[in-house]
Amino acid sequence: MSSEPIPLGRALASFDALWSPRIVTRVNDYDVRVAKVEGGHIWHVHDDTDEFFLVLDGELHISLREPDGERTVLLPQGSVFTVPRGTEHRPYAPAGAAILMFEPTGTPTVGDRHDEIPDHVDATTGHALDT
């Protein structure tokens, strides 16, 4: 990890792949990841950890399957939201977005239980940032 400040704009400009997060830094045993997203991810769940989202640019929608039904949370630029552990969810960005996520190191982007993974979704635990 870098011992210098990392401009998030420069970090996001260093890659083009969608739904393929880059690890910007680590905090204790957590990754701070940035990603460019557009279109839909997959329905998935993280059994043992919450998932934190911060929208840096654009707008992110997160559909949630909860005990009392399905709902969608809309996150405009500058908004944060935490998906509770064990909640099935599906992020999507109809017009594209840049997001920051905070989750335990080694957490797979497709969760612990998920649908079939389409080609446009990178099943990863995060990629090193090349700046």
Side-chain angles (χ1 to χ4, degrees):
M1 293 292 109
S2 176
S3 62
E4 297 297 321
I6 300 168
L8 292 179
R10 187 175 79 202
L12 287 162
S14 71
F15 65 97
D16 292 320
L18 298 174
W19 300 108
S20 184
R22 300 307 192 261
I23 301 168
V24 179
T25 191
R26 289 196 170 92
V27 179
N28 297 317
D29 296 330
Y30 282 77
D31 288 343
V32 179
R33 303 175 185 175
V34 294
K36 295 177 181 179
V37 298
E38 187 171 354
H41 199 268
I42 61 169
W43 282 102
H44 67 284
V45 65
H46 301 279
D47 291 323
D48 299 318
T49 186
D50 301 335
E51 188 170 15
F52 171 88
F53 293 89
L54 164 63
V55 179
L56 301 170
D57 188 41
E59 184 176 89
L60 183 69
H61 303 234
I62 302 176
S63 293
L64 306 162
R65 289 181 176 154
E66 300 174 315
D68 56 347
E70 193 173 302
R71 71 180 174 115
T72 297
V73 176
L74 175 63
L75 288 83
Q77 181 176 338
S79 296
V80 299
F81 184 76
T82 301
V83 175
R85 74 187 71 208
T87 302
E88 193 173 10
H89 60 286
R90 178 182 177 261
Y92 62 98
I99 61 175
L100 181 143
M101 295 161 291
F102 188 74
E103 51 199 352
T105 298
T107 300
T109 57
V110 294
D112 304 315
R113 293 179 277 132
H114 51 75
D115 295 335
E116 192 171 315
I117 302 169
D119 290 340
H120 75 277
V121 173
D122 185 7
T124 181
T125 56
H127 299 283
L129 181 66
D130 296 323
T131 56

